[in-house]
Amino acid sequence: MSKLLVRIISAAVVFLFSQTVIVTAQEAARSFEPVAAEFENSCASCHGEDGKGAGFLTRVFRGVDPGDLTQLAANNDGQFPSDKVFQVIDGRAEVAAHGDRKMPVWGDRYWERSMTEYGPDELNRQRARSRVLELVYYLQSIQE
């Protein structure tokens, strides 16, 4: 076979493979449903099972108002503030608007958990970020 024919066939194979990957990713994105498990595990003790701010720890930490997480979009002109919510949950970057940091720094906790489970590897940052994104997506799904 000539080099030109080999290049054309290779390019066609790469193109077809990339199209399959794109379609698969789009189908996965459409079928992804928010899951409450991470919220229940990390947030419900303060924010309540329904996200309205009446978790059982509010009785222990008197004077701390965790806020109604179902109103984040309503309090932001109807737009869910994804970036800000991510930053507050992750906590590794200072967010002055959040006020005093009474909420745990979940980014650090998720990072440490990944380090414990998987050891030091390059995917730990992505694992921690994925858990935070899972929470952001869930919170977006419970907006009233």
Side-chain angles (χ1 to χ4, degrees):
M1 260 200 262
S2 74
K3 288 183 180 182
L4 178 61
L5 185 56
V6 170
R7 284 185 174 171
I8 291 172
I9 291 172
S10 297
V13 168
V14 168
F15 175 77
L16 290 174
F17 178 73
S18 67
Q19 294 304 309
T20 303
V21 169
I22 290 170
V23 170
T24 304
Q26 289 172 344
E27 288 173 359
R30 271 189 240 120
S31 65
F32 183 76
E33 295 292 326
V35 179
E38 188 67 46
F39 180 83
E40 291 166 354
N41 181 54
S42 302
C43 311
S45 57
C46 289
H47 293 283
E49 293 289 326
D50 60 1
K52 293 185 181 279
F56 72 89
L57 283 180
T58 58
R59 293 185 295 263
V60 175
F61 300 113
R62 300 211 185 279
V64 175
D65 177 13
D68 185 345
L69 298 178
T70 66
Q71 298 299 310
L72 297 172
N75 294 334
N76 191 49
D77 297 323
Q79 295 293 317
F80 183 74
S82 300
D83 291 340
K84 182 178 178 185
V85 170
F86 182 94
Q87 291 172 348
V88 170
I89 294 169
D90 184 72
R92 291 180 283 184
E94 283 298 317
V95 180
H98 188 264
D100 292 341
R101 185 80 197 181
K102 293 183 173 111
M103 190 173 111
V105 177
W106 290 107
D108 285 344
R109 289 182 180 203
Y110 293 157
W111 173 273
E112 290 166 10
R113 172 73 74 152
S114 290
M115 290 290 284
T116 301
E117 278 186 52
Y118 302 100
D121 72 23
E122 64 278 357
L123 294 177
N124 286 331
R125 179 176 303 246
Q126 186 62 31
R127 290 179 184 114
R129 182 176 168 80
S130 293
R131 289 182 73 178
V132 174
L133 285 171
E134 184 177 344
L135 283 171
V136 171
Y137 187 62
Y138 178 75
L139 290 174
Q140 185 175 14
S141 77
I142 64 169
Q143 297 304 294
E144 293 180 348

